[in-house]
């Protein structure tokens, strides 16, 4: 009976959690099962392998850690497909093509879906499903993390200056914080304002310092009231 109550409490807590927290729980469970399943095999491979251990220079050349990248990709695909679609339209040749091809016949060139497949130091790798004249096809689109709206989309979206790396470095030198700040800029340009807080929350959950988060001691309504 006690165990049943504990399970019920856990389920209620999970249902009330934020999307990032809920996604994290299910993702961690899946990773734990995969780790347990491959642990024995991995141990045998480590014991028999003559490959030297990964050195510091190799680790430093990576952008996000593998676990961070996998989690971010899965989370964005599950909860922010609309944001990814906006990125493809705002920051890639797909947006420009849609303007020119739909100029004479609206709806002849349509982005059906955008799925994130990779994150590099410079770009988001997105698989776009395009419907053109009734036929669907997939193409790989690379969206720079420092993108500005393409020519045909500058009236629809907003252009902002790139993130200043020197300013960011003063608050955090973690790659996950760098990624989050650049993602927040892309979201603001694509007018996906509601997603910016989720990006910051995602970064904190993946070990970041909350770059971009407002400080607790920032009194936004300071005038005419002041706090001593």
């Amino acid at each position: 009976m006690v165990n049943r109550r504990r399970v019920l409490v856990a389920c209620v807590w999970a249902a009330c959690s934020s999307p990032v927290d809920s996604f994290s729980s299910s993702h961690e469970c899946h990773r734990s099962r995969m780790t347990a399943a491959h642990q024995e095999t991995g141990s045998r491979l480590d014991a028999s392998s003559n490959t030297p251990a990964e050195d510091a220079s190799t680790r430093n050349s990576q952008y996000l850690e593998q676990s961070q990248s996998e989690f971010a990709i899965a989370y964005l695909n599950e909860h922010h497909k609309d944001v990814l679609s906006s990125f493809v339209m705002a920051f890639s040749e797909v947006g420009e093509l849609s303007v020119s091809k739909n100029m004479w016949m609206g709806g002849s060139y349509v982005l059906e879906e955008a799925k994130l497949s990779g994150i590099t130091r410079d770009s988001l790798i997105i698989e776009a499903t395009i419907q053109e004249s009734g036929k669907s096809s997939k193409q790989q689109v690379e969206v720079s993390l420092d993108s500005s709206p393409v020519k045909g989309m500058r009236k629809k979206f907003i252009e902002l200056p790139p993130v200043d790396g020197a300013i960011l470095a003063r608050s955090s030198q973690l790659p996950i914080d760098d990624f989050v700040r650049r993602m927040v800029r892309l979201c603001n340009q694509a007018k996906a304002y509601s997603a910016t807080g989720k990006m910051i929350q995602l970064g904190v959950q993946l070990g970041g310092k909350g770059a971009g988060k407002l400080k607790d001691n920032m009194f936004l309504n300071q005038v005419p009231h002041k706090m001593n």
Side-chain angles (χ1 to χ4, degrees):
M1 185 66 180
V2 174
N3 289 337
R4 290 180 62 186
R5 288 179 179 174
R6 288 177 179 172
V7 170
L8 179 59
V9 170
C11 290
V12 172
W13 180 88
C16 296
S17 299
S18 68
V20 177
D21 292 334
S22 299
F23 183 83
S24 175
S25 298
S26 60
H27 189 75
E28 287 299 324
C29 288
H30 174 72
R31 287 182 56 197
S32 297
R33 290 196 297 269
M34 292 297 291
T35 301
H38 292 288
Q39 187 173 23
E40 183 177 353
T41 302
S43 299
R44 290 200 299 269
L45 288 174
D46 290 340
S48 60
S49 174
N50 293 321
T51 303
E54 183 182 44
D55 59 23
S57 62
T58 302
R59 289 194 301 271
N60 292 336
S61 68
Q62 296 175 347
Y63 186 44
L64 301 183
E65 296 176 8
Q66 183 176 349
S67 59
Q68 292 175 330
S69 180
E70 289 176 351
F71 185 96
I73 289 171
Y75 173 73
L76 292 170
N77 281 331
E78 182 164 335
H79 294 285
H80 296 291
K81 282 190 173 183
D82 56 334
V83 176
L84 296 175
S85 294
S86 294
F87 286 0
V88 172
M89 294 299 293
F91 309 121
S92 80
E93 67 278 5
V94 172
E96 287 189 285
L97 282 172
S98 70
V99 172
S100 60
K101 294 195 175 190
N102 291 327
M103 184 176 296
W104 304 110
M105 186 179 295
S108 63
Y109 188 88
V110 179
L111 173 64
E112 292 185 322
E113 184 182 34
K115 183 177 181 181
L116 184 62
S117 59
I119 299 171
T120 71
R121 186 179 300 275
D122 301 312
S123 306
L124 301 173
I125 311 301
I126 300 176
E127 185 180 83
T129 303
I130 308 293
Q131 184 183 89
E132 184 173 6
S133 300
K135 296 181 180 179
S136 293
S137 62
K138 295 182 184 295
Q139 67 180 77
Q140 183 172 289
V141 176
E142 190 169 333
V143 173
S144 170
L145 285 169
D146 298 315
S147 288
S148 292
V150 295
K151 185 176 180 180
M153 290 290 170
R154 288 173 188 167
K155 290 184 179 180
K156 183 176 181 180
F157 297 106
I158 301 170
E159 188 169 1
L160 297 173
V163 174
D164 189 329
I167 294 176
L168 176 60
R170 288 200 291 268
S171 59
S172 173
Q173 296 185 6
L174 298 176
I176 187 63
D177 284 326
D178 175 77
F179 172 70
V180 166
R181 285 295 294 269
R182 294 158 87 188
M183 284 290 287
V184 167
R185 173 180 172 270
L186 292 182
C187 287
N188 281 322
Q189 290 188 113
K191 298 183 179 180
Y193 306 119
S194 62
T196 57
K198 299 293 178 60
M199 298 301 155
I200 295 171
Q201 183 183 0
L202 173 66
V204 172
Q205 187 151 336
L206 292 179
K209 294 183 178 180
K213 184 179 179 181
L214 294 178
K215 304 297 183 182
D216 291 337
N217 61 350
M218 287 187 69
F219 305 116
L220 301 182
N221 296 320
Q222 199 169 25
V223 179
H225 306 289
K226 289 187 176 182
M227 296 186 66
N228 295 327

